[in-house]
């Protein structure tokens, strides 16, 4: 598949079932930090809760960034090209991408 800047090419639309999951390395690091916060609760409950709050803030911000990136990718896929037209296939692929993202979010 082409890239968004290529004339007449369809931009790649990642639409697999794994979106918007973080890359495994980020997911592992956040899980490690959460386990650390939980294990520290008995000795320092306030610190543990503050760490959990920080993790939630970081994760929600990261997911918002991923969703914004995905939306830009999807929008670029169905925007009119230089000739002022949009192919039905481009719209079909975009709809599939939107459906996958929305289904994933609605399942949370």
């Amino acid at each position: 598949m082409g890239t968004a800047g290529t004339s007449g090419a369809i931009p790649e639309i990642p639409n697999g079932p794994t979106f918007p999951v973080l890359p495994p390395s980020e997911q592992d690091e956040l899980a490690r930090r959460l386990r650390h916060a939980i294990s520290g609760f008995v000795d320092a409950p306030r610190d543990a809760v503050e760490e959990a709050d920080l993790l939630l803030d970081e994760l929600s911000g990261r997911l918002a960034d991923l969703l914004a990136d995905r939306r830009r990718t999807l929008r670029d896929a169905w925007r009119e090209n230089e000739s002022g037209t949009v192919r039905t296939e481009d719209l079909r692929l975009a709809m599939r991408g939107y459906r996958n993202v929305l289904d994933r979010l609605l399942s949370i």
Side-chain angles (χ1 to χ4, degrees):
M1 293 198 153
T3 60
T6 306
S7 176
I10 300 171
E12 286 193 47
I13 304 173
N15 58 13
T18 59
F19 183 81
V21 175
L22 297 170
S25 61
E26 286 182 58
Q27 203 169 11
D28 291 346
E29 176 61 17
L30 288 169
R32 183 196 63 74
R33 289 174 56 198
L34 177 58
R35 285 189 306 273
H36 181 266
I38 292 168
S39 68
F41 182 81
V42 171
D43 293 330
R46 182 174 182 86
D47 291 343
V49 171
E50 287 176 352
E51 178 63 14
D53 181 65
L54 178 64
L55 286 170
L56 181 57
D57 186 53
E58 287 179 30
L59 180 56
S60 61
R62 181 67 174 116
L63 290 175
D65 291 344
L66 287 170
L67 287 169
D69 289 345
R70 178 55 55 94
R71 184 170 185 227
R72 275 190 292 279
T73 299
L74 289 168
R75 292 182 95 193
D76 288 347
W78 61 268
R79 295 289 177 146
E80 293 178 352
N81 60 26
E82 293 81 22
S83 67
T85 62
V86 178
R87 297 178 338 152
T88 301
E89 179 64 7
D90 297 339
L91 294 169
R92 185 187 72 77
L93 291 172
M95 180 57 80
R96 187 174 69 181
Y98 280 109
R99 183 190 67 215
N100 287 339
V101 171
L102 292 165
D103 282 347
R104 183 66 185 240
L105 291 173
L106 290 169
S107 71
I108 293 176

